[in-house]
Amino acid sequence: MCGICGYAGFEPDEKMLSRMTNVIKHRGPDDKGFYLDNNVGLGMRRLSIIDVYRGKQPIVNENEDVVIVFNGEIYNYKDLTKKLLQKGHKFTSKSDTETILHLYEEYDTDCVLHLRGIFAFAIYDKCKKRLFVSRDRLGVKPLYYWTQNNKLVFSSEIKSVMECGEVTREPNLASINNFLTLRYVPGPETMIMNVFKLLAGHQMLWENDQLRIERYWQPKIDNGPYKSDNYYQVKFEELLSESVKMRLMSDVPLGAYLSGGLDSSAIVALMSEMCDKPVKTFSVGFDWQMDELPAARLVANRLGCEHREIICGPNDFEQLHKIIWNLDEPIGDAIVVPMFLLSRLASEHVSVVLSGEGADEILAGYFFHKVMSWARRYVHSVPQVIRNGIVCPLMEKAPASLLNLVFDYPGTLGNRGHRKILDYLKMVGRKDAYAEYHFLISLFDKMDKSELYNARMSKYLNKELANRNDEAENAGSPYLDNVLRLQYEHWLPDDILMKQDKMSMANSVEARVPFLDHVLVEFLLKTPPHLKLCGLKNKILLRNCVAKLFPGNLSRQKKKAFYIPVDKYLTEGPLREMVEICLSEKSVRERGYFNWKEVQRLRQLTSERDFLYGKQLFALLVLELWHRIFIDRESGW
């Protein structure tokens, strides 16, 4: 696992490459390397995982006319290498990096279609005078770029791209608006003007001083006819086991994150069957009554794991500025703090971890999946006149305390949550899955923003995210599968996987995600919806699998939200001090985005322990910290 960077269209500039690689040293503390040729330069920082001694980068072919820098792991590289050797290719190492290089020689840009793994790589072809850059199908590995005036700069992290003197530190106001909606920044734009994300499943070609971007993979739904349920159950277990086994490939110590829930427990159980030594497992908790640490401990003891855990408390949020620097972009989700602590703990014992990320997305594990499924049935079965004349008025009069009984989360809804439910009930009659999905995952809605924004930001109030999915292609597909497919657009690559990559690599740990093997993902897109979500029961295939691995209650347990009492933390310790500094009247007015009176109101509501208002205030705090670190370059953070 590494960090890569490079440029095209510049005079040879080793100093710029050196700056770009130095700022991402945490991604690869073991080694660095450069390649310069005329107007192209490539750089990398290496975290040695495969062929530790001979896999140094950049790697060139035997003719020295094709060169590669690579970040990721190719899990089927041994099979690919065997086939390439039969075709006459010569290898100087046993690394997966060199396999990609020869695969490019054999198949040109179609080489990516043969890869099973996670990757962001750049190949320079001297003969064709072409730079070829590609990112993996699901977006597990990040890749950012800037292009202007016939020049291109790219890197694994934005801060590295910004080491180019021609990249200006100008905030992207449209992305600020999107961030407040989603708590993350959806691609292809970033928080910096003219710096972009190469989208998941895309590749770019730089030829004749021109950039061309192409999509080579996208999730496709199968409408049936379906086979027997047993076929899908057996195949799912086979593919999941295969995915875990492939991700045990390593020349350095590896372990796993363990929450005690279905996803991570299944992975650790499979690892335990495949490894001849106890699996090293790592857990994080908050020392409160619904903490998952006891469940994780129970699973670890049952499997004979070498288990370690850490407690995250309010004082750990003093690391927030360091975490935001590593994230590159603001993430308005307090989970980044325990994720950072967990990866730091793991780094003391292993270099690779397997994680359960992605299971909820591919198997309908979130509460909003149930809500959207129920809502669709509600619209189909209850006439509009009853919905508008009876249901909505009753819901409006219902106290928030009553609604909390069906709220699948440890916090309370409060008045703000009550209003959101009412707005959603009015929305579902339009039968617009895309709009419903974004409403349910949103933090600030249009009404919130109209009160928060000043004149400078108000022009973005009516800017909505464009749907990049081909709706016509999925017409007639199962409703649940269409909802799940929406997550591949930016939720997974720009939030879930971005947090995982940046927090693990901040501590020089490689995170692998077995549930997001693209072969497994493609299989589940062709699986009947009722094997993912059926009534109140979700993740059916995984529950059945876990029932075999763990006879007992684990397969029947309800999903627990990873709850962080951020509304409480904002009123004590380091976060309270940060709020006083970053969200003071002086700071808010000088930044010039928001109405001070509304920020002041959010601060007051948060002190009264309102769940959603606390999340909103935390997002505003993160946004201001990001500005101070990346735009103002303010010292002391």
Side-chain angles (χ1 to χ4, degrees):
M1 199 59 63
C2 309
I4 64 170
C5 61
Y7 65 74
F10 291 81
E11 293 296 320
D13 193 341
E14 187 170 347
K15 289 184 178 179
M16 184 169 81
L17 277 180
S18 182
R19 293 195 306 272
M20 292 176 70
T21 54
N22 285 342
V23 79
I24 55 172
K25 182 179 179 180
H26 51 278
R27 296 190 71 91
D30 297 331
D31 192 21
K32 67 178 180 180
F34 304 118
Y35 174 87
L36 294 96
D37 180 78
N38 295 324
N39 66 343
V40 172
L42 302 176
M44 60 78 60
R45 294 288 323 196
R46 186 180 183 220
L47 177 64
S48 304
I49 303 293
I50 301 296
D51 197 3
V52 173
Y53 300 107
R54 292 185 297 175
K56 295 185 176 184
Q57 299 182 41
I59 290 181
V60 297
N61 65 346
E62 57 267 38
N63 297 327
E64 299 187 354
D65 56 9
V66 182
V67 59
I68 184 174
V69 287
F70 162 58
N71 170 30
E73 297 290 347
I74 306 303
Y75 303 120
N76 63 334
Y77 85 98
K78 290 184 178 179
D79 289 338
L80 293 172
T81 298
K82 187 181 299 184
K83 293 175 183 177
L84 289 166
L85 286 168
Q86 291 171 354
K87 290 177 177 290
H89 292 269
K90 297 179 180 179
F91 285 73
T92 60
S93 73
K94 294 182 179 179
S95 73
D96 50 352
T97 308
E98 190 174 2
T99 301
I100 303 172
L101 188 69
H102 292 296
L103 207 64
Y104 170 80
E105 291 181 304
E106 189 68 31
Y107 300 107
D108 202 67
T109 60
D110 283 345
C111 63
V112 294
L113 302 179
H114 299 261
L115 301 177
R116 189 170 177 182
I118 56 178
F119 55 84
F121 64 79
I123 292 175
Y124 176 54
D125 189 325
K126 290 179 65 175
C127 297
K128 296 180 180 178
K129 292 183 170 53
R130 178 171 74 180
L131 184 65
F132 170 50
V133 183
S134 187
R135 188 180 180 198
D136 65 67
R137 296 167 179 82
L138 278 302
V140 180
K141 293 284 98 185
L143 201 290
Y144 305 92
Y145 69 94
W146 169 93
T147 180
Q148 278 187 5
N149 305 319
N150 299 325
K151 295 178 178 179
L152 171 70
V153 178
F154 67 89
S155 182
S156 299
E157 298 193 5
I158 295 173
K159 65 179 70 70
S160 176
V161 173
M162 294 169 74
E163 287 298 321
C164 171
E166 296 188 32
V167 178
T168 57
R169 292 177 180 266
E170 180 184 353
N172 185 339
L173 300 190
S175 288
I176 291 173
N177 178 60
N178 290 337
F179 163 74
L180 292 174
T181 301
L182 301 170
R183 294 192 293 173
Y184 62 89
V185 181
E189 295 189 336
T190 69
M191 286 290 279
I192 301 295
M193 286 295 293
N194 300 316
V195 175
F196 300 93
K197 297 166 184 167
L198 180 62
L199 297 176
H202 284 66
Q203 55 197 29
M204 57 187 187
L205 287 162
W206 179 268
E207 293 180 285
N208 302 317
D209 296 331
Q210 297 294 317
L211 182 65
R212 185 172 83 253
I213 296 178
E214 304 169 341
R215 185 171 195 167
Y216 69 87
W217 184 87
Q218 59 183 320
K220 293 184 178 180
I221 300 170
D222 189 348
N223 300 332
Y226 298 116
K227 300 179 182 180
S228 69
D229 287 1
N230 183 64
Y231 164 81
Y232 292 102
Q233 186 65 52
V234 171
K235 189 68 174 177
F236 170 77
E237 293 172 11
E238 175 188 310
L239 289 176
L240 180 60
S241 180
E242 178 183 68
S243 180
V244 170
K245 185 175 183 179
M246 294 177 86
R247 282 156 182 80
L248 297 180
M249 172 188 76
S250 177
D251 293 339
V252 294
L254 56 79
Y257 293 149
L258 178 61
S259 70
L262 284 174
D263 314 335
S264 60
S265 297
I267 289 173
V268 174
L270 290 169
M271 291 176 69
S272 297
E273 290 180 354
M274 299 170 187
C275 297
D276 55 6
K277 295 180 180 179
V279 178
K280 293 180 170 66
T281 53
F282 309 93
S283 300
V284 61
F286 292 89
D287 196 22
W288 69 299
Q289 66 272 21
M290 293 183 69
D291 208 317
E292 287 190 304
L293 283 181
R297 212 173 294 140
L298 187 66
V299 171
N301 289 339
R302 189 165 177 177
L303 294 173
C305 298
E306 187 181 314
H307 188 62
R308 295 176 177 87
E309 56 190 42
I310 190 170
I311 297 291
C312 177
N315 288 334
D316 289 306
F317 280 74
E318 67 183 6
Q319 305 269 5
L320 187 59
H321 63 282
K322 181 177 181 180
I323 289 167
I324 292 171
W325 183 85
N326 278 286
L327 284 169
D328 271 339
E329 294 189 282
I331 290 284
D333 186 346
I335 198 173
V336 295
V337 177
M339 288 180 75
F340 176 81
L341 297 177
L342 187 61
S343 66
R344 188 173 65 185
L345 171 66
S347 71
E348 298 170 3
H349 306 278
V350 298
S351 298
V352 178
V353 291
L354 273 65
S355 172
E357 256 75 10
D360 288 319
E361 285 77 11
I362 63 177
L363 288 163
Y366 290 117
F367 183 57
F368 74 78
H369 293 139
K370 293 181 182 178
V371 169
M372 292 185 70
S373 181
W374 295 337
R376 186 51 57 103
R377 293 181 184 181
Y378 162 73
V379 169
H380 281 236
S381 59
V382 180
Q384 184 175 356
V385 64
I386 296 178
R387 296 199 308 266
N388 295 340
I390 299 177
V391 177
C392 285
L394 283 175
M395 289 296 292
E396 195 162 0
K397 292 178 182 178
S401 58
L402 180 62
L403 298 177
N404 283 330
L405 298 177
V406 296
F407 183 48
D408 194 20
Y409 210 78
T412 57
L413 281 167
N415 293 329
R416 176 62 182 78
H418 188 189
R419 192 191 89 198
K420 184 156 187 163
I421 290 176
L422 287 170
D423 291 342
Y424 180 67
L425 284 175
K426 295 172 185 176
M427 170 185 283
V428 295
R430 303 200 321 246
K431 298 183 181 179
D432 184 344
Y434 187 77
E436 288 178 39
Y437 164 71
H438 279 103
F439 180 83
L440 287 173
I441 67 172
S442 69
L443 182 61
F444 288 86
D445 63 21
K446 189 174 180 179
M447 186 180 294
D448 296 324
K449 292 177 181 178
S450 67
E451 297 167 348
L452 179 66
Y453 285 0
N454 63 12
R456 183 184 181 190
M457 289 294 295
S458 61
K459 64 182 179 182
Y460 295 99
L461 277 174
N462 295 316
K463 301 286 186 182
E464 296 183 357
L465 291 169
N467 186 357
R468 293 198 303 265
N469 284 309
D470 186 348
E471 294 179 345
E473 181 185 338
N474 295 288
S477 299
Y479 177 69
L480 178 65
D481 286 331
N482 275 317
V483 171
L484 296 179
R485 190 175 185 271
L486 291 171
Q487 300 165 125
Y488 297 99
E489 186 176 349
H490 47 71
W491 167 284
L492 265 170
D494 299 334
D495 180 29
I496 303 299
L497 294 173
M498 192 275 258
K499 290 183 298 196
Q500 180 70 281
D501 173 83
K502 297 292 177 62
M503 292 299 88
S504 60
M505 294 308 295
N507 293 291
S508 304
V509 172
E510 177 194 320
R512 298 175 177 176
V513 282
F515 283 108
L516 293 179
D517 182 276
H518 82 270
V519 176
L520 177 59
V521 168
E522 289 173 348
F523 165 75
L524 287 169
L525 286 168
K526 301 174 182 178
T527 300
H530 72 270
L531 294 177
K532 303 162 197 169
L533 176 63
C534 186
L536 296 174
K537 191 175 180 182
N538 58 12
K539 300 162 90 167
I540 313 297
L541 291 172
L542 182 58
R543 290 183 186 278
N544 293 340
C545 175
V546 170
K548 298 175 185 177
L549 294 168
F550 293 93
N553 296 326
L554 180 61
S555 65
R556 297 190 294 273
Q557 76 174 16
K558 183 180 177 182
K559 177 180 173 60
K560 290 183 179 179
F562 196 86
Y563 178 64
I564 304 169
V566 69
D567 51 333
K568 178 185 176 185
Y569 290 175
L570 284 163
T571 61
E572 60 184 66
L575 279 188
R576 178 179 179 177
E577 183 180 353
M578 289 181 194
V579 168
E580 292 292 339
I581 296 171
C582 295
L583 297 180
S584 65
E585 180 176 2
K586 179 176 182 292
S587 178
V588 170
R589 293 190 187 281
E590 286 182 352
R591 187 61 60 198
Y593 298 150
F594 310 130
N595 295 317
W596 158 244
K597 291 295 183 182
E598 182 60 18
V599 176
Q600 185 181 42
R601 187 178 77 90
L602 283 176
R603 288 182 57 176
Q604 177 59 37
L605 289 166
T606 300
S607 68
E608 296 172 5
R609 302 289 166 81
D610 194 302
F611 170 74
L612 283 173
Y613 290 129
K615 285 181 171 291
Q616 289 181 334
L617 190 69
F618 182 78
L620 293 181
L621 171 61
V622 167
L623 180 64
E624 175 59 22
L625 275 171
W626 178 86
H627 274 81
R628 292 183 177 223
I629 294 167
F630 284 93
I631 303 300
D632 304 340
R633 307 186 81 171
E634 191 175 283
S635 62
W637 294 108

